Amino acid sequence: MKLNNLVRAAIFAALAISVGFSLLLIPNIELITVTIFISGLTLGSAWGMLIGATAEIIFSSLNPFGSGLSFPPLFISQVLSMIIIGAIGGWLRPIFYRTDFSYNSLIGLGFTGLFVTFIYDSFTTLSFPVSAGFEFAQILGIYISGLGFSLIHQVSNAIVFTVGIPRVMKYLAVRP
């Protein structure tokens, strides 16, 4: 393990937690997802997974609006989805680890933001009805009832990914 990567991982985890708390009062707008994705993009999937787990465990546990620890299935789904998002960042490194982005790359970033947020929203929305043993029709009803909130979250993250990642990668990506 390189000390340089460990320090970068600690910085990414601290950054993800701090931006999470800084935007806590604004509904449907968050920067944790993009920070964890960029950590995977920059350091690789294994580090992205570790950063995603660490940052989400700390953020969710210490959330003043309700600790994830009070409902373990939700807590597990939050942590698991951030682990997946960190891994996806590493997997997409060959595509998005660059300093300049074409129009098609920007569209790809938007869809990536939408997709990874869809994963997070689906895991967290389904955590209660699945763990409570609801039937499929009830689970589907609960999932559909949360689509409005989820859609706003997904669209906002698509915008955050499209606007934010090119600006950040300009400074993080190694220039050819």
Side-chain angles (χ1 to χ4, degrees):
M1 171 170 49
K2 288 184 174 181
L3 182 59
N4 192 19
N5 284 343
L6 182 61
V7 171
R8 287 181 181 188
I11 291 170
F12 272 119
L15 181 63
I17 295 162
S18 63
V19 297
F21 284 122
S22 70
L23 296 176
L24 202 57
L25 297 175
I26 304 172
N28 296 319
I29 306 294
E30 52 89 13
L31 300 176
I32 297 173
T33 306
V34 73
T35 305
I36 291 171
F37 180 84
I38 291 172
S39 76
L41 196 63
T42 304
L43 299 174
S45 291
W47 283 105
M49 292 167 65
L50 179 63
I51 294 162
T54 304
E56 190 61 28
I57 286 170
I58 295 169
F59 176 75
S60 183
S61 297
L62 301 177
N63 192 326
F65 289 132
S67 171
L69 295 174
S70 63
F71 186 61
L74 174 63
F75 183 73
I76 291 167
S77 68
Q78 290 171 326
V79 173
L80 182 60
S81 60
M82 287 301 172
I83 289 170
I84 293 168
I85 291 167
I88 291 173
W91 297 336
L92 294 179
R93 181 182 169 97
I95 300 170
F96 296 126
Y97 190 76
R98 59 183 62 230
T99 56
D100 37 329
F101 290 81
S102 67
Y103 179 75
N104 289 338
S105 296
L106 294 175
I107 299 282
L109 282 173
F111 279 115
T112 302
L114 191 87
F115 176 70
V116 298
T117 309
F118 171 79
I119 291 170
Y120 178 85
D121 288 341
S122 294
F123 277 38
T124 57
T125 300
L126 294 173
S127 66
F128 172 71
V130 170
S131 67
F134 287 8
E135 295 178 13
F136 179 75
Q138 294 168 315
I139 292 171
L140 186 60
I142 289 171
Y143 187 78
I144 290 171
S145 69
L147 283 180
F149 184 84
S150 295
L151 186 61
I152 294 169
H153 185 213
Q154 292 162 19
V155 169
S156 70
N157 266 4
I159 294 168
V160 166
F161 270 60
T162 304
V163 173
I165 290 177
R167 286 175 170 72
V168 171
M169 293 310 296
K170 187 183 330 178
Y171 300 103
L172 292 181
V174 177
R175 297 175 196 265

